[in-house]
Amino acid sequence: MRMPKVELPLNKTQKVRFERAMEMLKSLSSTTNNSVIVADSIPLNHKEAFLKGHGTSLIDGDLLTTVCGVVINVDKLVYVRTLRARYKPEVGDIVVGRVIKVAQSHWKVELNSTQDGVLKLSSINMPDSVQKRMTSVDELNMRNILVEDDVLCAQVGETQRDGSLQLLLARSHKYGKLDKGQLLKVDPYLVKRSNLHFHFIETLGIDLILGRNGFIWVGEHAQAHDPMVVDDENISSKTRQNILRIGNAIRVLSNLGFTVTLEVIMETFYLSNMENIDIHDMLGSEFHVLVTENQAERRRRCA
């Protein structure tokens, strides 16, 4: 459980409800969990000397946290190790990225990391589905495949000598250029490593890709075709509304610091429908409180 990353303009009633739900969530957390949020009090034995470190502040005799993270004790030193806001890549990770540069024989891809990704032209499955030696003509046609701001899904390969990450496209329609949807960004630690990062929400006709790097794709379901060829048909109004509603559900969960999973996303999506919350109003204070209450009740039932 972490404090919201946004300041919510709560009225008096909403504030009481929100704080009650947060207290319930905190009480349901494991007693062995050293995770803290801003303004948490760190238990100390005041009979023993201690040194306050990063992420702590001594106020009126209490050692309070100034950041979200995990409390670490090293001899007498007490500090808070902050949660990573940037993605730390591992080979095999499924990531979603945004093209930031078309270079000679490769594309540079933003990955929400200190390192950019590199997708080589030779890694692309060409339209005829035959891997072949790349030619100068292929290089001249690179912009017909991917350009700046295009979004793609790939797998992390080895780290290059210059520190960049090699990106790989498996022979599957799940990888490659993504279209007819929206790209969202959350803190990478909210997306846990899983055996399943691709989700097809069949009832809505939506594809959901939870990138390990914190980039999440929500878009119209892509049929099995060449991954680098985009269908030009227009997206339906109903599908567009579903994409926007799921996107806002993810934004709210991210704001509240909840782990982003398919189950929690869909629970939040259906909650907004059940409460007749307009898509735009999902980003308002009342829905943030409703989601917090819903998550507290959900975890209470599972406790």
Side-chain angles (χ1 to χ4, degrees):
M1 183 190 67
R2 304 176 179 89
M3 285 287 281
K5 298 186 294 180
V6 293
E7 289 294 329
L8 299 172
L10 303 174
N11 60 37
K12 188 175 181 179
T13 303
Q14 289 171 333
K15 185 176 181 181
V16 171
R17 290 165 53 207
F18 182 74
E19 290 178 349
R20 184 187 299 128
M22 291 297 284
E23 281 301 316
M24 182 185 293
L25 285 166
K26 190 172 182 179
S27 68
L28 292 170
S29 297
S30 171
T31 56
T32 60
N33 189 353
N34 289 327
S35 297
V36 291
I37 58 178
V38 176
D40 266 356
S41 177
I42 301 176
L44 295 170
N45 183 351
H46 290 281
K47 294 181 180 179
E48 298 181 1
F50 67 89
L51 298 172
K52 64 183 184 68
H54 172 76
T56 67
S57 179
L58 194 61
I59 300 176
D60 297 331
D62 289 331
L63 188 63
L64 303 181
T65 57
T66 59
V67 295
C68 298
V70 178
V71 176
I72 303 294
N73 292 274
V74 180
D75 295 327
K76 295 181 180 181
L77 177 65
V78 181
Y79 70 96
V80 178
R81 185 182 66 205
T82 55
L83 298 167
R84 286 195 303 268
R86 302 287 278 183
Y87 165 60
K88 185 178 180 180
E90 293 186 23
V91 174
D93 279 353
I94 305 300
V95 294
V96 176
R98 184 177 63 87
V99 176
I100 55 176
K101 183 179 180 181
V102 181
Q104 185 175 6
S105 73
H106 71 273
W107 294 267
K108 276 202 170 184
V109 182
E110 177 189 4
L111 294 175
N112 193 27
S113 172
T114 54
Q115 306 152 285
D116 289 329
V118 170
L119 177 64
K120 295 181 179 180
L121 178 60
S122 57
S123 298
I124 296 292
N125 294 322
M126 302 306 286
D128 57 9
S129 298
V130 176
Q131 289 294 95
K132 61 182 181 180
R133 184 182 180 87
M134 295 297 108
T135 67
S136 57
V137 175
D138 291 322
E139 288 194 19
L140 291 174
N141 290 331
M142 283 179 62
R143 286 188 172 275
N144 293 330
I145 304 173
L146 290 167
V147 296
E148 289 83 356
D149 290 327
D150 276 349
V151 180
L152 58 87
C153 179
Q155 195 171 34
V156 174
E158 299 292 341
T159 302
Q160 304 296 295
R161 291 182 179 178
D162 62 358
S164 60
L165 298 169
Q166 181 182 2
L167 297 180
L168 306 173
L169 297 184
R171 285 183 173 272
S172 167
H173 70 278
K174 294 179 179 179
Y175 297 89
K177 185 174 179 178
L178 301 173
D179 196 47
K180 296 183 182 178
Q182 63 173 321
L183 176 67
L184 300 118
K185 178 181 177 181
V186 305
D187 287 330
Y189 60 78
L190 296 179
V191 181
K192 303 303 181 185
R193 182 169 280 101
S194 167
N195 292 328
L196 189 61
H197 286 269
F198 298 96
H199 301 281
F200 171 36
I201 308 171
E202 190 171 359
T203 55
L204 303 178
I206 298 295
D207 282 335
L208 173 67
I209 306 176
L210 302 175
R212 277 286 295 129
N213 56 331
F215 282 175
I216 296 176
W217 177 259
V218 186
E220 183 180 49
H221 177 56
Q223 302 295 328
H225 58 71
D226 190 283
M228 305 313 297
V229 177
V230 175
D231 187 353
D232 289 329
E233 289 186 11
N234 293 326
I235 187 171
S236 71
S237 175
K238 182 63 176 177
T239 300
R240 187 184 303 276
Q241 296 297 307
N242 287 333
I243 290 172
L244 293 174
R245 189 171 290 275
I246 290 177
N248 279 354
I250 293 169
R251 290 185 177 95
V252 171
L253 292 169
S254 173
N255 289 341
L256 293 168
F258 291 124
T259 300
V260 179
T261 65
L262 174 65
E263 182 182 8
V264 176
I265 291 170
M266 295 312 298
E267 197 171 86
T268 306
F269 171 86
Y270 289 124
L271 178 65
S272 71
N273 276 326
M274 185 176 66
E275 297 290 339
N276 294 315
I277 306 292
D278 183 78
I279 292 175
H280 176 76
D281 292 338
M282 289 175 68
L283 300 180
S285 300
E286 177 61 23
F287 191 63
H288 279 77
V289 175
L290 283 171
V291 171
T292 307
E293 291 175 329
N294 185 67
Q295 288 301 305
E297 178 59 26
R298 175 175 177 268
R299 295 189 190 186
R300 186 192 66 79
R301 292 195 305 266
C302 296

